[in-house]
Amino acid sequence: KNVLGEIIYKGHPSWALMLNIQTGIRNAVGKSMGTEGVNPKTPQQYHTLRKPSEFKRKEDFYVSPKTQRFESAGTAMTNAHSTGAFKFKDYCPNAFRYLRYLFGIDTAEFMVSLCNTLKNGENALRELPTPGKSGSLFFFSHDMKFIIKTIPKDEAKLLRDILPSYLEHIQSNPNSLLPRFFGLYRVKPHSGRQVRFVIMGNLFPTKKKIHERYDLKGSVVGREASVDEKKSDSVTFKDIDFRNRKQKIYLGPGKKQSFIDQIKRDCKLLQSLNIMDYSLLIGIHYPQRENEPPSPSLLRPNLEDSSDFESPSMEQSSNQQRGSGNYDNSGAGRENNTNSSVKENEEIYISAFQQDEGGIKSHGGDAEEHYFLGIIDILMLYSLRKKVEHTYKTLKFGTKQEISSVSPDEYSERFQEFLSTIIE
Ligand code: ATP
Ligand code: CA
Ligand code: CA
């Protein structure tokens, strides 16, 4: 298994889905930047993207090789026939565009990162081989900046419902540790199941090896990686493992306090929205382990027959966009990506917890450590969770059991309590 994810080659189970996602995004995002789209340049113009009606808006695309209805599709569409016609929905496009602006993500670069698959399969998306229990699929953009997560209908609905408060929160909390959401979409193939997905920032946007990863909730019940999981290079350790290993996160007194304060504000929002089950995801890179021989799992799979990769090239449509001369001038004061080019004359604010190549270096402790961290999986409502647990318990014990889940308030308290004990 490759910890960086498995490249989606032609014939991969997710091949058709990947092409549909890419074609859909190219059309939807391309359209918003094209001549028909709004092209804000100043912060004031950007601000108009977030008017209340935008939180309700959905935009439909019907992508069919026969009709070829979208100009921006151009020849980049030539591959669509291999997956058949499908519908594509772009949820709250302008609200998300405003969010990307807040996060310092240039819309054109966003599209290139996700859609620019080269002929030889270079730059294809990668699929995370070991996702969570929920059955969601995870894809990475080739440049490691973005993650695509497929989500069920209720989570997509929840994201749309919380979007106004989330946006407000991000606006007033440039150091927020909440997931960075950049877009919400739906692919509906002519035949087959529809798939909703969200595009988020990757918390590990680095080519550096993440030696250890932890998913922490502050609870101990079942919070230990299994024996089998621990054999894998891509194991995600949990609360009990973290404790047993006597691991600490050394931020130093100043950053520790701002971290705790920020977590508190982020949790307060989640609490008010009745959300729970989120975790703090931590990746640790140990610079002193850099000289170890690379593990074989890190090597890229052999792309023997490169003719298998005939996924559409972005070049053409990208040039068309460029011709229209309309580009985002992003930079609302935030910049989160490691290598993102800094836009001219713009003061770009980088989150205090992402200032060291997308992460944060340790301060104190015995040896240098490099952390990458943030809150993930926030789209679970208390009410929805009860349903899941209920079904699970009923299945397992064959009878109705008392549900022992804590409330969002208790969850948040326990989460913060635990984090305060592990940060130094
Ligand atoms: P479950 O509901 O069973 O916990 P899930 O499908 O909702 O699972 P998540 O908890 O969101 O999945 O994430 C599963 C794993 O995917 C994480 O432990 C982490 O390894 C990876 N992951 C998720 N989000 C990110 C992110 N933003 N950046 C990097 N890795 C991520
Ligand atoms: Ca989770
Ligand atoms: Ca989940």
Side-chain angles (χ1 to χ4, degrees):
K1 277 176 194 160
N2 188 323
V3 277
L4 292 178
E6 194 180 280
I7 292 178
I8 304 174
Y9 50 88
K10 189 174 183 180
H12 186 284
S14 298
W15 171 252
L17 178 59
M18 176 184 84
L19 287 186
N20 287 356
I21 286 176
Q22 292 182 319
T23 308
I25 290 176
R26 208 178 290 127
N27 278 284
V29 180
K31 184 185 168 201
S32 76
M33 295 196 310
T35 41
E36 331 160 45
V38 227
N39 283 287
K41 296 217 157 46
T42 65
Q44 289 74 19
Q45 286 169 353
Y46 264 106
H47 209 77
T48 62
L49 295 179
R50 47 160 308 180
K51 51 179 186 287
S53 59
E54 292 297 341
F55 293 111
K56 298 259 181 303
R57 211 157 72 86
K58 299 172 193 173
E59 203 162 338
D60 273 304
F61 295 86
Y62 182 72
V63 183
S64 151
K66 289 202 190 83
T67 56
Q68 290 266 329
R69 269 158 58 174
F70 300 101
E71 294 163 48
S72 57
T75 53
M77 289 282 297
T78 45
N79 221 42
H81 68 274
S82 61
T83 66
F86 64 97
K87 281 182 180 171
F88 193 82
K89 203 188 279 288
D90 187 354
Y91 293 97
C92 323
N94 283 333
F96 280 108
R97 190 150 179 215
Y98 185 71
L99 275 166
R100 293 199 296 270
Y101 163 71
L102 286 180
F103 288 123
I105 302 294
D106 179 84
T107 289
E109 283 172 23
F110 175 71
M111 193 162 80
V112 170
S113 293
L114 290 159
C115 306
N116 195 5
T117 306
L118 302 178
K119 269 230 178 289
N120 59 1
E122 193 88 32
N123 295 357
L125 300 181
R126 288 185 253 229
E127 182 168 337
L128 193 72
T130 47
K133 277 171 271 172
S134 72
S136 288
L137 301 176
F138 288 82
F139 305 107
F140 292 88
S141 63
H142 65 89
D143 58 9
M144 302 295 283
K145 285 185 187 170
F146 304 106
I147 285 190
I148 296 172
K149 178 184 182 183
T150 65
I151 54 174
K153 187 177 183 180
D154 44 19
E155 294 195 20
K157 172 80 168 51
L158 178 59
L159 177 55
R160 282 186 284 142
D161 290 345
I162 68 170
L163 207 53
S165 355
Y166 169 79
L167 192 148
E168 202 66 51
H169 185 80
I170 295 301
Q171 176 128 3
S172 44
N173 290 273
N175 292 329
S176 174
L177 290 146
L178 293 181
R180 292 173 290 142
F181 292 123
F182 303 137
L184 176 66
Y185 308 94
R186 191 190 72 180
V187 167
K188 192 176 186 177
H190 189 62
S191 58
R193 281 188 51 183
Q194 55 184 24
V195 176
R196 293 174 179 80
F197 63 94
V198 65
I199 301 187
M200 314 179 276
N202 179 9
L203 283 173
F204 311 145
T206 175
K207 293 266 169 356
K208 287 191 169 165
K209 179 168 182 183
I210 301 295
H211 294 99
E212 281 167 16
R213 49 192 88 213
Y214 294 92
D215 180 296
L216 305 174
K217 294 189 174 183
S219 138
V220 284
V221 184
R223 299 294 299 159
E224 185 174 9
S226 71
V227 177
D228 268 356
E229 283 169 340
K230 284 179 188 169
K231 286 179 193 152
S232 157
D233 203 19
S234 56
V235 56
T236 301
F237 294 109
K238 298 185 181 151
D239 302 64
I240 294 176
D241 310 301
F242 196 90
R243 281 217 172 123
N244 291 346
R245 292 161 152 252
K246 304 207 166 24
Q247 184 70 50
K248 293 275 182 200
I249 301 296
Y250 299 96
L251 297 183
K255 284 257 164 96
K256 170 180 178 171
Q257 198 51 49
S258 49
F259 180 84
I260 304 253
D261 292 346
Q262 190 55 55
I263 287 283
K264 188 172 187 175
R265 282 196 291 273
D266 292 341
C267 281
K268 205 170 154 201
L269 176 78
L270 299 178
Q271 242 170 288
S272 75
L273 296 168
N274 243 342
I275 285 170
M276 55 194 303
D277 264 8
Y278 44 86
S279 338
L280 185 77
L281 183 67
I282 307 178
I284 309 180
H285 166 77
Y286 296 98
Q288 67 274 22
R289 291 196 206 165
E290 200 99 270
N291 298 328
E292 291 173 10
S295 86
S297 65
L298 270 168
L299 301 173
R300 305 188 71 176
N302 193 11
L303 304 173
E304 288 159 48
D305 184 1
S306 59
S307 65
D308 268 0
F309 294 90
E310 33 182 71
S311 136
S313 157
M314 257 290 294
E315 222 105 67
Q316 193 128 4
S317 64
S318 161
N319 285 337
Q320 284 168 7
Q321 299 298 337
R322 218 160 270 152
S324 74
N326 287 313
Y327 266 90
D328 278 7
N329 256 322
S330 92
R334 277 155 242 252
E335 177 55 274
N336 295 285
N337 286 297
T338 335
N339 311 313
S340 260
S341 57
V342 175
K343 309 293 169 310
E344 332 81 73
N345 308 327
E346 295 269 10
E347 274 288 323
I348 291 179
Y349 182 85
I350 305 175
S351 158
F353 308 111
Q354 296 180 321
Q355 285 176 350
D356 303 323
E357 298 160 69
I360 178 168
K361 287 195 170 144
S362 62
H363 192 278
D366 295 334
E368 196 185 313
E369 297 177 358
H370 196 160
Y371 311 117
F372 297 84
L373 39 76
I375 297 172
I376 60 162
D377 207 11
I378 66 164
L379 298 176
M380 183 59 82
L381 279 183
Y382 185 40
S383 52
L384 298 177
R385 181 187 191 248
K386 270 160 91 176
K387 248 190 267 165
V388 173
E389 224 160 85
H390 191 108
T391 326
Y392 168 68
K393 289 204 164 145
T394 313
L395 282 174
K396 191 170 174 193
F397 302 104
T399 54
K400 287 191 176 180
Q401 297 275 320
E402 209 58 58
I403 294 152
S404 63
S405 47
V406 297
S407 73
D409 288 353
E410 290 165 298
Y411 191 89
S412 156
E413 235 164 76
R414 197 175 65 183
F415 183 73
Q416 292 179 60
E417 166 75 29
F418 181 71
L419 294 189
S420 69
T421 66
I422 66 165
I423 311 285
E424 291 279 309

